[in-house]
């Protein structure tokens, strides 16, 4: 299994921030999401999915659903 060392590549980070911003704009500051929100409903990028899962679950020990604003702020801060 490939490990990512808790890092998230810049392209995925930018995509995730954009998705968080869109969800917040659509449903408000208290909207929650999971890392699955960053992907389509088909598994066409398994390495990216695993990278996001490792960042979310192993590195930051986040719950399944977190506030989009919290995730956006963490990503923007380079965490």
């Amino acid at each position: 299994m490939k490990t990512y060392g808790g890092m998230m590549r810049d392209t995925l980070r930018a995509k995730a921030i954009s998705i968080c911003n869109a969800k917040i704009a659509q449903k408000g500051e208290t909207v929650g999401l999971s890392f699955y929100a960053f992907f389509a409903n088909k598994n066409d990028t398994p390495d990216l999915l695993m990278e996001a899962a490792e960042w979310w679950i192993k590195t930051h020990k986040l719950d399944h659903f977190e506030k989009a604003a919290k995730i956006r702020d963490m990503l923007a801060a380079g965490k």
Side-chain angles (χ1 to χ4, degrees):
M1 179 178 176
K2 184 175 182 179
T3 61
Y4 302 96
M7 299 297 294
M8 185 181 285
R9 66 186 79 187
D10 291 341
T11 53
L12 179 55
R13 183 178 299 276
K15 178 182 177 182
I17 290 171
S18 176
I19 289 168
C20 287
N21 285 334
K23 294 282 186 185
I24 292 165
Q26 182 182 36
K27 297 189 177 187
E29 284 288 325
T30 61
V31 68
L33 52 71
S34 79
F35 67 87
Y36 289 111
F38 307 146
F39 300 93
N41 284 336
K42 53 185 177 176
N43 191 12
D44 56 354
T45 56
D47 286 342
L48 285 178
L49 179 65
M50 293 305 295
E51 186 175 322
E54 183 170 316
W55 180 90
W56 192 287
I57 297 166
K58 290 178 85 176
T59 302
H60 295 289
K61 296 176 181 24
L62 299 169
D63 290 337
H64 184 74
F65 282 96
E66 293 285 351
K67 301 288 186 212
K70 173 184 176 178
I71 299 303
R72 176 198 59 203
D73 294 347
M74 288 176 69
L75 291 165
K79 293 184 178 181

